[in-house]
């Protein structure tokens, strides 16, 4: 599900969101979502992290779009909750302009990509295990008989590179 956030001020001190945003952030509907709100008004049940480091409010996508007047694209962040659980999010943010063309706030839309990230990690683990295997591993499409994937040992045994084998069918091998 996606969540929408909107800041009505260029400093990003007051941010509201869609119902999904409040559900994902585990906050009561209507409370201030902003991590750059004054102390005591900002939510404390989660942190926003990128590459293992907590982001300062000025680096958060909605606040950054409001402060710079620039669109922030493809921002990957992690929401880390007090109970130790987390959600991987991907979002974009854009400044909101008034009639005079001055920034008056920003809007952001984020989607939960936690499942995608877990799948990517599983594929990396599979690739590492397959490549370290002493056995040749070949994954073949049963309809076309094309190689879908192949490990390093199979490449060595068959005498072809991975790219060569991925462009071949099983019966192309002598």
């Amino acid at each position: 599900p996606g969540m929408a956030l909107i800041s009505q001020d260029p400093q990003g001190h007051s941010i509201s969101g869609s119902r999904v945003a409040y559900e994902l952030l585990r906050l009561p509907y209507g409370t201030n979502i902003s991590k750059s709100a004054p102390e005591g008004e900002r939510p404390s049940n989660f942190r926003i992290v990128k590459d293992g480091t907590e982001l300062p409010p000025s680096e958060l996508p909605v606040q950054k779009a409001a402060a710079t007047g620039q669109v922030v694209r493809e921002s990957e962040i992690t929401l880390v909750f007090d109970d130790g659980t987390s959600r991987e999010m991907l979002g974009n943010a854009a400044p909101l302009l008034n009639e005079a063309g001055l920034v008056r706030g920003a809007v952001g839309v984020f989607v939960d990509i936690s499942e995608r990230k877990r799948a990517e990690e599983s594929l990396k683990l599979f690739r590492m295990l397959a490549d370290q295997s002493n056995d040749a591993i070949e994954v073949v499409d049963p309809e076309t008989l094309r190689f879908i994937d192949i490990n390093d040992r199979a490449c060595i045994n068959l005498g072809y590179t991975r790219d060569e084998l991925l462009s071949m069918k099983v019966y192309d091998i002598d």
Side-chain angles (χ1 to χ4, degrees), residues 128-147:
M128 182 188 71
L129 292 172
D131 282 341
Q132 291 181 359
S133 175
N134 289 327
D135 297 317
I137 299 174
E138 300 144 358
V139 181
V140 177
D141 183 320
E143 291 182 19
T144 65
L145 298 179
R146 286 200 173 277
F147 290 105

Side-chain angles (χ1 to χ4, degrees), residues 77-158:
I77 57 173
T78 305
L79 302 174
V80 180
F81 295 94
D82 288 344
D83 64 4
T85 61
S86 63
R87 288 187 180 269
E88 301 291 332
M89 305 298 289
L90 174 68
N92 297 310
L96 295 173
L97 307 177
N98 64 17
E99 297 79 24
L102 301 173
V103 176
R104 65 174 180 87
V107 63
V109 178
F110 296 83
V111 292
D112 186 341
I113 59 168
S114 300
E115 288 300 317
R116 184 189 91 186
K117 289 294 220 175
R118 279 191 278 279
E120 288 172 356
E121 288 303 313
S122 292
L123 286 172
K124 283 182 193 175
L125 178 60
F126 169 78
R127 168 64 34 216
M128 182 188 71
L129 292 172
D131 282 341
Q132 291 181 359
S133 175
N134 289 327
D135 297 317
I137 299 174
E138 300 144 358
V139 181
V140 177
D141 183 320
E143 291 182 19
T144 65
L145 298 179
R146 286 200 173 277
F147 290 105
I148 297 171
D149 199 3
I150 194 153
N151 72 347
D152 292 341
R153 173 54 56 196
C155 294
I156 292 166
N157 290 354
L158 296 171

Side-chain angles (χ1 to χ4, degrees), residues 12-74:
H13 290 185
S14 177
I15 297 178
S16 59
S18 62
R19 288 205 182 273
V20 171
Y22 287 100
E23 289 171 15
L24 286 173
L25 296 173
R26 304 175 187 173
L27 294 170
Y29 184 75
T31 60
N32 190 359
I33 294 173
S34 180
K35 286 298 221 175
S36 55
E39 190 69 38
E41 293 179 34
R42 68 181 76 129
S44 61
N45 65 317
F46 65 92
R47 296 178 298 117
I48 302 172
V49 175
K50 186 171 187 153
D51 300 325
T53 304
E54 187 168 356
L55 290 174
S58 62
E59 290 300 311
L60 301 176
V62 173
Q63 286 88 332
K64 194 171 189 177
T68 65
Q70 302 292 313
V71 174
V72 176
R73 297 190 192 280
E74 304 282 320

